[in-house]
Amino acid sequence: MPRSDGYLLKDIPAFNKVIPYIMNRRYDATNYTRIELDITNLRKHLRIWRDAGHRVGLMDAIICALAMVMQSTPEINRFVANKKIYQRNHRCVSFALIKREDGEIVETAVKVQINDGDDLIKISKNIRDLIDKNKVPTEKNKVDKFVDCLVSLPLLSSFSVSVFKFMDKLGILPKSIITLSPFHTSMFISNLASIKMEYMYHHLYDFGTTSFFVTLGKPKRKDGDERGNNKLVLGVSIDERICYGVVWAKAMQEFSRLIEDPEKMVF
């Protein structure tokens, strides 16, 4: 049965097909890398776009650049399910969101869809709208309501999750749940600078289809640079089974070039 979120890759080398059998769990196949970015030019353009009335943030630009690379290099938008490699048929990004409820800090997760033709301004607006909607203290998003439903019967929640994992493995998890799930996504990103933390290497979830996890640390001053905090370091976790290392390397080089020349992200 075909999956709703991607299609099976058949015409790939035999070596690629056998790797998921050797490393059958996502956390067994995770590679970690550190990416250092020069954001001098990006910060300048962010100020220009904000002065023009656009609520564009640093994380928005990172998401946009990576989404554009996923379009030009679709190999990094693949995932492994049931020891098979699939090409995702859309682009989306999940991220954690912190809000306050009754004086307490509450964390939730949201997912933004990236459509063909979306540029940085459009993606940023969609992200801002999503954040504004989900930061309302009394509002629960669909993910929260779904999780509440799962844990409302404690004796059944473990069984329910096991059933969802099994259905996902077989490719029969309903599209409605995949659409809700932040774990079924092209990329998960965490802005640790928002809580004044450095970047870190985050694990990949074994539930869902996330092959790519990115964390942003606090921007820092480059050595010998007195102009501001223009160095951004990312911690990146990737599932090595979905494509060759050389493909990842070329994709990340393209990503760095977009960050250094951000005008290419606005059409």
Side-chain angles (χ1 to χ4, degrees):
M1 177 179 290
R3 293 183 62 100
S4 65
D5 53 353
Y7 58 89
L8 178 65
L9 292 172
K10 298 179 180 179
D11 298 325
I12 56 177
F15 182 78
N16 296 67
K17 292 180 180 179
V18 78
I19 286 295
Y21 289 88
I22 297 171
M23 295 177 286
N24 61 4
R25 294 188 181 274
R26 198 165 284 118
Y27 51 75
D28 289 334
T30 305
N31 284 338
Y32 304 92
T33 188
R34 175 183 182 275
I35 298 178
E36 185 174 309
L37 300 170
D38 183 339
I39 57 172
T40 307
N41 198 32
L42 175 59
R43 291 173 72 98
K44 180 181 74 174
H45 280 82
L46 288 177
R47 287 193 293 270
I48 293 172
W49 292 323
R50 287 170 188 156
D51 289 343
H54 303 295
R55 299 164 63 192
V56 185
L58 181 59
M59 190 175 81
D60 305 339
I62 299 297
I63 289 175
C64 178
L66 288 170
M68 291 177 69
V69 173
M70 285 177 194
Q71 187 169 28
S72 61
T73 312
E75 292 93 335
I76 69 171
N77 195 19
R78 293 174 177 175
F79 62 90
V80 176
N82 199 23
K83 302 183 181 68
K84 299 289 191 297
I85 302 176
Y86 290 82
Q87 179 65 56
R88 200 182 312 275
N89 55 21
H90 63 284
R91 290 173 293 154
C92 56
V93 179
S94 298
F95 56 92
L97 182 65
I98 295 174
K99 60 182 180 179
R100 289 186 177 274
E101 289 185 4
D102 299 325
E104 294 185 3
I105 294 177
V106 178
E107 185 175 296
T108 186
V110 293
K111 183 163 65 175
V112 61
Q113 297 292 325
I114 311 293
N115 300 312
D116 292 347
D118 285 354
D119 68 352
L120 176 55
I121 303 302
K122 177 61 176 176
I123 290 173
S124 178
K125 182 182 184 306
N126 291 343
I127 291 173
R128 294 304 122 197
D129 290 346
L130 193 62
I131 290 175
D132 290 345
K133 180 180 178 181
N134 284 276
K135 273 204 167 182
V136 178
T138 57
E139 280 290 321
K140 287 193 174 184
N141 62 30
K142 293 181 180 179
V143 175
D144 293 331
K145 292 176 181 176
F146 175 66
V147 172
D148 283 349
C149 181
L150 272 182
V151 299
S152 62
L153 299 172
L155 295 178
L156 295 181
S157 57
S158 179
F159 174 74
S160 300
V161 171
S162 297
V163 169
F164 287 150
K165 283 187 173 182
F166 183 69
M167 293 175 70
D168 196 30
K169 180 178 178 180
L170 297 182
I172 58 174
L173 193 65
K175 184 177 181 180
S176 57
I177 294 179
I178 289 176
T179 301
L180 281 176
S181 169
F183 305 107
H184 292 77
T185 183
S186 304
M187 176 182 70
F188 212 113
I189 187 166
S190 180
N191 183 10
L192 298 180
S194 65
I195 53 175
K196 298 179 170 50
M197 281 186 63
E198 304 290 346
Y199 77 95
M200 62 177 288
Y201 299 116
H202 199 286
H203 62 88
L204 294 180
Y205 302 107
D206 205 41
F207 174 64
T209 59
T210 311
S211 302
F212 194 7
F213 203 117
V214 178
T215 67
L216 285 66
K218 296 185 296 183
K220 291 188 173 183
R221 195 179 299 270
K222 294 188 296 182
D223 294 340
D225 191 345
E226 301 299 324
R227 295 173 296 175
N229 297 326
N230 292 317
K231 180 175 74 173
L232 180 67
V233 180
L234 309 181
V236 179
S237 309
I238 52 180
D239 186 339
E240 70 164 280
R241 300 173 297 176
I242 61 175
C243 65
Y244 293 123
V246 65
V247 176
W248 277 110
K250 292 177 70 173
M252 293 304 99
Q253 289 165 8
E254 181 185 349
F255 163 63
S256 297
R257 287 193 292 269
L258 284 171
I259 294 299
E260 292 171 5
D261 190 6
E263 288 180 290
K264 291 181 178 178
M265 292 190 282
V266 175
F267 310 142

